[in-house]
Structures are given as C-alpha cells and as structure tokens.
C-alpha cells in the first residue's frame, strides 16, 4: 500500500522549471561541511548565539542542523536568502550570522504564517525562548540583514515573481505536508536566481527513519518524488551524517539540497 500523501494526489500537475538550480556536480558536501575557514568562525558566532539558550525540541531546527545551515550559507555565499518557517528563529539566527561577513548587500527574508514577533502574544515564550527572533537578531547586530514577513509561503513567493531580485538560497521549513511542499518547490524555483539552491528540512530518503525514534515526516520526500516522476530534472542530495552531533545521540540530519539532476 502506498503511504498517505495528505492531499498530494488531488493536486493538478504543476510546471517545474529547474533551469535556475545549481547542478548536482557543482556541489561538494565534504568541502562545505569541513571548511576550515568556517570552522574557525563558528565558535565565535556559536558563543554569541548560545547566550540566548534557544531550546532544542520545541520546533526549531536542532543544534546540529543550525550549524549545518551556517556552513551551507558560508559556503554558498548567497546575496539573498529566503526562509519559509521562522518559528522561534533558530535557523534564522544561524543563517543571518553566516551572512554577516558578506559584501554588505546580503539579506535574509524569513516568512511565517504567524507573526513570530507579536509583541502582545509573545509566541516565543510558549516555545521556551526568552527573546523574540527579531529581538535576538537586534542584540547580535544582525537586525538590518533580516526582513520578517507574516504570511503564507505561497502567497509571498507568488508576490516575488517578476520582481527585480530573486533568491540564491530558499530554505523550506514551513508546512511540511506533501501537498504544500509540492507547491512550494515550483514556486521557489520561479524566484531562484541562476545557480541557486533549495534546502529542504525534514527530508527522509525513501521514507526511512533517520533516528532511533522511528519518526518519519513524509511530505518533503513525497513531494520531491512526485515532481521527479513528472519529469522535473531535480535531485535531492541529503546532507546525511554531519561531522558533529544532531539529535538522539546521532550525527544524522534531515537537511537535503535540491539540485539540478
Ligand atoms: C518547523 S517550524 C520552523 C522552525 C524554524 N525554522 C526554526 O528553526 O526555528 C515551521 C513553521 O512554519 C510555519 N508555517 C506553517 N505553514 C506555513 C505556511 N503555509 N507559510 C508560512 N509559514 C508556515 C509555522 O507557523 C511554523 O512556525
């Protein structure tokens, strides 16, 4: 029996133009994850961010994945990054920290369907954080690099089509249902600059558990596989085992890059 696809089968086939994607052969994961230069910078930025004690296990990406995102951004040197799914800002802070030493024109736009910085609701408190994402960025001197958008991912990406700027990296960590990711990937491709990269979180290759808890989130894999079955020339490159711990005593991450096959 096929796994449930949470509405994926009901969706019409979407155009998926992968021309802008960076080619698989142009990406060398070992160089990215073992960069000595980034390894020297990491302890400084990690120490500054650690002062906020962003918790693990309350919906933000785990500390090992935060470090992997930092390495990815340092290596890819994007001018412009789009993040879908801000939540407590765990990934946001690490992406922004990695952008700090750019040429001054780099920026991150982070989108969440909720207002993650809502001054009255203070949603971050419910997730064990002492500070809002915007507050943490300001305290690190990174506030000027980041634009927050409260809205739906597809609406926001549609609003960017035809704009002067695109994004070099799009990180998809919002609604993880297969139907949502199936729509988000083509939408992200439409606003990707040439040589750009899409980063998926919660990508479980062949729907196999990555950790001892047996957990599998199906959406990102099922969405990617449907696009591939329909002829999209893309391939998912899981980051696999990282050179540092991630969760449940392992080094394995659910991060994956979407690249041109
Ligand atoms: C797993 S959390 C993101 C974690 C975040 N990257 C971090 O490290 O703190 C997923 C977030 O996506 C948001 N989200 C869900 N559906 C969305 C949509 N359609 N558009 C934008 N954001 C969405 C949720 O509100 C939630 O905050």
């Amino acid at each position: 029996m096929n796994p449930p696809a949470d509405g994926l089968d009901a969706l019409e086939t979407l155009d998926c133009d992968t021309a802008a994607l960076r080619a698989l052969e142009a990406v060398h994961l070992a160089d990215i994850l073992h960069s000595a230069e980034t390894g020297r910078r990491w302890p400084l930025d990690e120490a500054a961010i650690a002062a906020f004690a962003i918790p693990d296990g309350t919906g933000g990406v785990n500390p090992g994945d935060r470090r992997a995102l930092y390495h990815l951004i340092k290596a890819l040197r994007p001018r412009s990054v789009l993040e879908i799914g801000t939540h407590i800002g765990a990934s946001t802070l690490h992406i922004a920290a990695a952008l700090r030493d750019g040429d001054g024109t780099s920026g991150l736009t982070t989108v969440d369907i909720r207002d993650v910085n809502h001054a009255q609701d203070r949603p971050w408190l419910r997730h064990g954080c002492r500070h809002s994402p915007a507050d943490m960025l300001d305290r690190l001197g990174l506030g000027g690099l980041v634009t927050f958008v409260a809205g739906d991912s597809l609406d926001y990406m549609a609003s960017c089509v035809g704009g002067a700027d695109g994004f070099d990296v799009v990180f998809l960590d919002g609604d993880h249902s297969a139907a949502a990711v199936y729509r988000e990937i083509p939408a992200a491709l439409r606003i990707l600059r040439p040589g750009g990269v899409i980063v998926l979180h919660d990508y479980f290759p062949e729907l196999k558990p990555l950790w001892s808890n047996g957990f599998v989130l199906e959406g990102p894999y099922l969405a990617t596989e449907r696009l591939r079955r329909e002829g999209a020339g893309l391939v998912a490159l899981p980051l696999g085992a990282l050179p540092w711990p991630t969760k449940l005593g392992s080094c394995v991450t659910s991060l994956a890059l979407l690249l041109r096959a």
Side-chain angles (χ1 to χ4, degrees):
M1 197 173 82
N2 289 328
D6 60 20
L8 180 64
D9 294 342
L11 292 180
E12 287 180 12
T13 301
L14 295 176
D15 283 339
C16 187
D17 182 354
T18 58
L21 270 182
R22 188 172 297 213
L24 173 65
E25 57 269 22
V27 174
H28 304 285
L29 281 183
D31 293 348
I32 293 172
L33 297 172
H34 293 277
S35 160
E37 192 186 335
T38 303
R40 276 192 294 278
R41 284 303 311 263
W42 167 249
L44 299 172
D45 281 322
E46 182 190 31
I49 296 173
F52 301 121
I54 302 172
D56 189 12
T58 67
V61 302
N62 72 63
D65 289 0
R66 299 172 197 174
R67 185 171 177 177
L69 287 169
Y70 179 90
H71 269 255
L72 277 175
I73 297 301
K74 283 283 193 199
L76 296 171
R77 297 177 188 273
R79 197 165 64 91
S80 188
V81 180
L82 173 63
E83 172 181 64
I84 302 299
T86 319
H87 190 50
I88 56 174
S91 46
T92 315
L93 245 67
H94 289 76
I95 294 169
L99 287 174
R100 188 200 294 271
D101 295 329
D103 61 5
T105 62
S106 303
L108 164 64
T109 300
T110 182
V111 179
D112 202 291
I113 203 155
R114 296 178 302 110
D115 179 356
V116 297
N117 298 304
H118 195 286
Q120 281 77 45
D121 285 355
R122 300 198 287 172
W124 57 92
L125 295 178
R126 291 195 292 278
H127 304 294
C129 293
R130 297 199 299 263
H131 306 278
S132 69
D135 186 16
M136 290 189 286
L137 288 162
D138 284 343
R139 287 166 187 256
L140 292 176
L142 296 168
L145 291 182
V146 181
T147 303
F148 289 92
V149 176
D152 175 68
S153 59
L154 292 169
D155 290 345
Y156 178 74
M157 289 194 273
S159 77
C160 296
V161 174
D165 295 323
F167 296 95
D168 302 296
V169 173
V170 179
F171 175 44
L172 295 180
D173 190 25
D175 180 340
H176 291 74
S177 69
V181 182
Y182 177 75
R183 285 178 289 200
E184 283 180 341
I185 291 171
L189 288 168
R190 277 194 285 279
I191 54 173
L192 205 62
R193 285 153 55 92
V197 171
I198 295 176
V199 183
L200 298 178
H201 199 241
D202 300 295
Y203 182 83
F204 289 77
E206 295 171 25
L207 300 182
K208 291 184 179 147
L210 293 171
W211 302 287
S212 55
N213 61 2
F215 176 75
V216 173
L217 199 51
E218 296 170 339
Y221 175 81
L222 289 178
T224 307
E225 284 306 296
R226 175 166 168 187
L227 290 165
R228 281 163 53 80
R229 273 200 312 277
E230 291 169 348
L234 52 77
V235 63
L237 177 64
L239 269 62
L242 300 176
W244 47 77
T246 53
K247 61 192 281 184
L248 296 173
S250 88
C251 294
V252 175
T253 179
S254 67
L255 286 165
L257 305 184
L258 275 190
L259 301 164
R260 188 154 41 81

